Amino acid sequence: MNYYQILKQYFGYDGFREGQEELICGILEGRDVLGIMPTGAGKSLCYQIPALMSDGITLVISPLISLMKDQVASLNQAGVHAAYLNSSLSPGQYYKALSLAKTGRYRIIYVAPERLVTEEFLDFARNTKITMVAVDEAHCVSQWGQDFRPSYLKIAEFIRRLPSRPVISAFTATATKEVRDDVIDILLLRNPVVVTTGFNRPNLYFGVQAPKDKYAAVKNYVECHPNQSGIIYCLTRKLVEEVCGRLCQDGFPAVRYHAGLTDEERRQNQDAFMYDTAPVMVATNAFGMGIDKSNVRYVLHYNMPKNIESYYQEAGRAGRDGAPADCILFYGGQDVVTNQMFIEHNQENEELDPATRSLVAQRDRERLKKMTYYCFTNDCLRDYILRYFGEYGENYCGNCSNCLTNFEEKDITGEALAVIECVRACGQRYGMGTILDTVHGANTAKIRQYRLEGNPQYASLAKVPAYRLRRIGNHLLAAGYLSATNDEYAIVKLTQMSERVLSGEEKVRMKFAKETGQEAKQNAGESVRGKKAKGGIPGLQGEADEALFGRLRKLRAEIAKEEQVPPYIVFSDKTLILMCAAKPSGKEEMLAISGVGEYKYAKYGERFLACIAGKQGGADPGI
Ligand code: ADP
Ligand code: MG
């Protein structure tokens, strides 16, 4: 079988996604490869397909037990013999799996890195034909990344101790140069084929809202998206407790997750989420690594995270199946303050020397600033993120809250002049908050203490509403008309562009949402997507399809229970949506649906066909 046939027969897909074919061909030619692709791009197939075409065993190194379990369940569902070896197995189970492995039962074996150089495992590996070692989440070798794992350093030693060197393939979603170089150096990749795909995720909708009442906004969203699975990220454990508690009280199937819970509760809640019994997860950033759930339809941020890297990683957990999904950030001014506090009191950096620590804090403040600008920009949000990662695209995606908002550009030179003049007149010694208070004419202790009532610009913008002044202030910083220092005080300084505005050489323009439209609604806490969001499952047309989707999902849940795997491993949301659209009535038509492979068809195809024909299942769309 060639690799196209394998893709179709085992995984049920018709074509490769960007980067996959190149990496697979590299491996098949015996080259080492490094695939750098965003979350959800389909990295697993890049090593699984060559593994199925080789006559030896492929070892996959993966950092987390939950990831291994998920992947092995997926492979087994696709009809591939695979197993994992990690500390979740009892010694008895471990030796049984190992002895089955010795008989050649498995094509693909997932191994925890700390197992590699143990005597039993080495003994097995030295006496078997290992054709490839695939290193998943390869950024774990790098101390630059956020997820450094010392046990990943054992991989190279393990490979050195094998009688013959297998092909090494490595995969990660982290694109920075430091991490890429570390992966190549530490894993000792030899002249690897390196493939980096774009980081854009077109199926994700990006939105920013600044609702007065965050809880009301989140609740409204969850209410409008019943039966959908989503994650709500909060900055603190306390907020997780609060938001989850209120959602449960309001009757929503939510569970919580943060580092302060017992292992047992965390495991239970994670399972409830994975198995869709509690499809809404409220969590801190402790939740996520190792969550490959493909049918997460939305990721809401109750708070702004600390930087764009974290935001994109967390938001990226939505829509891995490629079907439309929402990523909405609910911004509030307090989020900046909380993040600043985390930076000033970062305990992880305690062991660093003072100079390094201050450098790290400075870098973190800079990143926080860029994150804050994301919440205030009126330009394309997707473009903002991609630019941050060094990719240049069009400044219009048509699928973010800014591209979908009607803006009008206004001349704000007058306001800009007042703010810039104020900064100059007070000697460039204050942060933006104080400057804006001054031009707004506030009467605070600080204003009195520093005698800012005497500033020539005091109260010169008294008539401009405070929220609008904040936007203007942020725009001036983000667009470079002013700058802020990187220390904890973020003192506002003049720039070359300030001079051009002061001298009258340059006019300042800024986009505002038309007042009657989005901004007013956002401030009232309504969904930006308004009615469109209420329909529920994106990609379905009409009530009949929605009802069918409900029945298919019910059948999927039944099968998942029988098989003891999470529902999305039986079929992804995307595959069910395609079934609703195509309504296949026979084997050939069913096999043409993306995600339906031969093996799954043989196991469940007829039950799904019967359901589509209306011969099975009730109307209850329970998840
Ligand atoms: P990653 O590891 O890059 O985050 P995964 O390997 O977990 O991504 O794949 C994400 C999802 O995309 C899975 O549901 C997978 O089955 C699906 N997928 C992968 N390759 C393809 C393809 N060529 N066509 C359609 N779906 C695919
Ligand atoms: Mg992966």
Side-chain angles (χ1 to χ4, degrees), residues 193-503:
V193 178
V194 180
V195 175
T196 310
T197 64
F199 269 62
N200 187 18
R201 305 267 312 274
N203 64 315
L204 300 185
Y205 161 88
F206 288 97
V208 173
Q209 296 183 36
K212 287 226 168 59
D213 181 345
K214 278 194 192 184
Y215 178 74
V218 163
K219 180 184 153 195
N220 177 47
Y221 185 94
V222 176
E223 203 158 26
C224 290
H225 298 80
N227 297 324
Q228 291 190 26
S229 183
I231 306 175
I232 302 169
Y233 278 110
C234 303
L235 264 185
T236 62
R237 296 176 189 182
K238 197 167 152 243
L239 274 172
V240 168
E241 300 284 331
E242 184 188 317
V243 173
C244 183
R246 288 178 76 178
L247 282 174
C248 289
Q249 232 166 37
D250 288 330
F252 298 103
V255 285
R256 57 188 185 169
Y257 193 103
H258 59 68
L261 302 172
T262 61
D263 287 353
E264 176 61 14
E265 181 177 354
R266 279 209 302 258
R267 199 187 51 72
Q268 266 177 14
N269 293 351
Q270 174 167 333
D271 278 354
F273 174 71
M274 300 298 268
Y275 285 81
D276 281 337
T277 49
V280 180
M281 171 58 85
V282 187
T284 60
N285 62 3
F287 180 74
M289 177 65 156
I291 304 303
D292 265 6
K293 190 174 201 279
S294 77
N295 66 336
V296 175
R297 293 268 68 84
Y298 58 84
V299 172
L300 308 183
H301 276 77
Y302 201 80
N303 307 102
M304 176 183 78
K306 62 177 186 236
N307 55 39
I308 299 271
E309 285 90 340
S310 310
Y311 181 64
Y312 203 53
Q313 191 177 49
E314 287 159 19
R317 295 190 175 118
R320 289 175 87 111
D321 53 11
D326 287 346
C327 308
I328 303 176
L329 195 163
F330 294 92
Y331 172 84
Q334 179 62 33
D335 299 343
V336 182
V337 180
T338 311
N339 274 303
Q340 271 164 350
M341 222 170 62
F342 285 151
I343 294 175
E344 304 318 324
H345 305 277
N346 190 342
Q347 306 200 326
E348 280 167 34
N349 298 339
E350 215 90 287
E351 72 270 28
L352 299 177
D353 62 88
T356 316
R357 206 186 312 157
S358 111
L359 222 74
V360 168
Q362 201 170 320
R363 189 196 62 189
D364 290 350
R365 283 187 210 105
E366 181 65 28
R367 291 200 207 162
L368 175 60
K369 208 154 78 179
K370 300 239 169 79
M371 181 76 245
T372 312
Y373 294 163
Y374 174 81
C375 300
F376 281 92
T377 181
N378 283 333
D379 291 331
C380 174
L381 292 174
R382 184 183 314 277
D383 194 56
Y384 185 96
I385 295 173
L386 293 177
R387 266 171 207 275
Y388 182 87
F389 292 118
E391 258 180 57
Y392 292 87
E394 292 162 49
N395 195 9
Y396 178 87
C397 73
N399 192 23
C400 73
S401 55
N402 285 346
C403 288
L404 294 174
T405 300
N406 263 328
F407 285 110
E408 49 191 346
E409 238 192 14
K410 287 195 178 152
D411 188 307
I412 57 154
T413 311
E415 289 93 331
L417 265 173
V419 175
I420 294 172
E421 190 58 59
C422 176
V423 172
R424 184 165 73 177
C426 61
Q428 309 184 50
R429 278 183 298 161
Y430 303 101
M432 188 53 94
T434 308
I435 296 294
L436 295 181
D437 278 351
T438 307
V439 294
H440 199 228
N443 180 16
T444 63
K446 199 164 181 182
I447 297 265
R448 289 193 302 274
Q449 185 187 347
Y450 296 111
R451 302 189 196 294
L452 288 166
E453 314 95 313
N455 188 295
Q457 293 299 327
Y458 183 76
S460 63
L461 298 178
K463 290 214 178 81
V464 183
Y467 79 87
R468 195 175 167 107
L469 267 185
R470 274 201 303 278
R471 285 185 177 235
I472 291 175
N474 275 303
H475 178 69
L476 294 178
L477 288 170
Y481 290 103
L482 288 168
S483 70
T485 58
N486 269 336
D487 51 41
E488 59 186 295
Y489 308 106
I491 309 277
V492 179
K493 300 280 181 189
L494 299 178
T495 67
Q496 281 181 351
M497 282 166 80
S498 333
E499 301 300 338
R500 291 219 294 274
V501 177
L502 287 172
S503 68

Side-chain angles (χ1 to χ4, degrees), residues 7 11-18 20 37-49 67 70-71 74 136-137 171-173 201 292-294 316 319-322 568 572 574 594-595:
L7 180 72
F11 302 96
Y13 299 137
D14 290 318
F16 285 105
R17 292 199 187 142
E18 191 191 346
Q20 287 179 326
M37 296 151 88
T39 307
K43 292 184 281 295
S44 325
L45 280 191
C46 300
Y47 57 81
Q48 288 168 347
I49 288 183
L67 275 177
D70 221 61
Q71 299 258 338
S74 270
D136 205 0
E137 314 290 343
F171 301 89
T172 175
R201 305 267 312 274
D292 265 6
K293 190 174 201 279
S294 77
R320 289 175 87 111
D321 53 11
Y568 63 91
S572 70
K574 173 131 187 197
S594 176

Side-chain angles (χ1 to χ4, degrees), residues 63-74:
L64 288 177
I65 290 171
S66 59
L67 275 177
M68 296 190 208
K69 212 173 130 191
D70 221 61
Q71 299 258 338
V72 168
S74 270

